[in-house]
Amino acid sequence: MGAEAEHRTTTPSRRIHADADADASPAVLGLQLSALIDHVARVDWSLLDRIPGDRGGSQQVSIEELNHILAEVNAQIRPSHDELSPIRTIAGGSVANTIRGLSAGFGISTGIIGACGDDSQGDLFVSNMSFSGVDLTRLRTKKGHTAQCACLVDASGNRTMRPCLSSAVKLQANDFKKEDFKGSKWLVVRYASQNMEQIHEAIRIAKQEGLSVSLDLASFEMVRDSRTQLIDLLETGNIDLCFANEDEARELIGEGPTFDPEEALAFLAKHCKWAVVTLASKGCMAKHGKQVVKVAATGERNAVDATGAGDLFASGFLYGLVKGLPLEECCKVGACSGGSVVRALGGEVRPENWQWMYKQMNASGLLLPDLDN
């Protein structure tokens, strides 16, 4: 489709492999049952009105619908602010964005548990993630198609996601092995009501192996449509850290126009050791035990594309937890990393924007990553 296919990811000048020995287990594992390729493009609002689902959210589509959307995008492309193609085709998915950010930007050892197809899209996913230093020994190749997603960015930098997962290869619950989890510290999970069997099984094994579990609430549509299942998952007590954006938090507690994010934060904190509600340009708030902190956003005024903002916020926050930073500093690092990805198109941070992030962290007195190991 004339896209900019990025087989080699854009990383800082120094190649980062991790802060652990090559034979050691990754500190952070990401559970992404289906490898995913993002097609990221700038579009006019008129196009968003012609595709199914709510503007600004994430709703699954069929392969026919995806192809129709991509054809529409090709016919109506907004110019890019930079010299690169206005369409980026890169490894994607919320979990992949988070662990790639941890590895490429923070020097934290990461791995992914999932499956990719034996097609060119699967090859692109493997190339992109491995170049970022992500351990792919837990990624199974299966015969079939790799998942794809249209990421449509409007003139205000807001993104609308239309993933096509129905025909994609996917890891099943009986594919998990204890060895996949052994020795790691964290498992990063994205909520998906259609994958609850796999999610519960992965969390069960992770807990047996002593891992902490981080959960992202995925989208306001997912929370709205599968709220009961989500609350059941939270009530298991197996979720240690939960991230929700403002829209997801509103759907979770069922509030109307008088929505209070602090109420949503308190609700999440009843079930999780760490609870975080991100508020876009208004920053974020987090709770751990009795401590509640509020932190301003970083870099919002230069936002080009909100794709990956929450994912990269999670990268920074998890970096803080792995390094033992206080709650407020975890939030501040998350604000810096979330602010870095919105400065360009797509859910992957460009080299100059990693450098921007390090400058923001340094100016705030935050612990900089050790990128020389």
Side-chain angles (χ1 to χ4, degrees), residues 14 26 31 34 70 87 133 169 191 244 250 270 327:
R14 283 170 290 183
L31 179 68
S34 296
L70 295 180
I87 301 179
V169 300
Y191 180 60
R250 180 181 287 107
K270 285 195 303 184
L327 181 64

Side-chain angles (χ1 to χ4, degrees), residues 57-58 94 159 161 189-193 215-223 230 243-245 248 311:
S58 178
S94 175
R159 90 284 183 275
M161 316 289 275
V189 179
R190 178 177 172 88
Y191 180 60
S193 59
L215 179 70
D216 177 87
L217 296 194
S219 70
F220 66 83
E221 296 102 329
M222 185 68 72
V223 177
L230 173 58
F243 295 102
N245 66 29
E248 294 156 1
D311 307 333

Side-chain angles (χ1 to χ4, degrees), residues 10 13 33 47 82 119 170 227 241 252 263 290 300 317 319 325 343 353 360:
T10 50
S13 57
L33 300 174
L47 186 145
D82 53 38
D119 54 6
K170 181 164 69 173
R227 181 174 177 271
L241 164 63
L252 180 64
E263 185 178 345
K290 294 183 178 180
E300 277 289 326
F317 193 94
Y319 162 78
L325 301 185
R343 296 167 63 85
N353 292 328
Q360 302 301 312

Side-chain angles (χ1 to χ4, degrees), residues 181 186-187 201-213:
F181 303 84
W186 280 92
L187 177 67
E201 179 64 7
I203 291 175
R204 183 188 70 81
I205 300 175
K207 284 298 176 180
Q208 283 184 350
E209 295 300 320
L211 279 71
S212 297
V213 177

Side-chain angles (χ1 to χ4, degrees), residues 16 69 128 162 180 184 229 329 335 355:
I16 301 162
I69 290 169
N128 184 254
R162 291 297 178 263
D180 291 337
S184 295
Q229 281 181 287
E329 293 187 21
Q355 297 304 319

Side-chain angles (χ1 to χ4, degrees), residues 2 5 16 29 40 74 76 95 101 112 133 151 182 205 212 261 296 320 349:
I16 301 162
L29 292 172
V40 190
N74 260 341
Q76 181 189 12
V95 171
I112 191 164
C151 306
K182 195 173 187 66
I205 300 175
S212 297
V349 181

Side-chain angles (χ1 to χ4, degrees), residues 163-177:
C164 176
L165 309 176
S166 57
S167 62
V169 300
K170 181 164 69 173
L171 211 61
Q172 302 301 324
N174 59 8
D175 288 325
F176 297 129
K177 303 174 184 176

Side-chain angles (χ1 to χ4, degrees), residues 69-99:
I69 290 169
L70 295 180
E72 290 279 331
V73 169
N74 260 341
Q76 181 189 12
I77 286 187
R78 293 183 56 81
S80 178
H81 290 315
D82 53 38
E83 295 179 357
L84 298 174
S85 166
I87 301 179
R88 296 186 71 199
T89 300
I90 56 177
S94 175
V95 171
N97 290 341
T98 295
I99 63 170

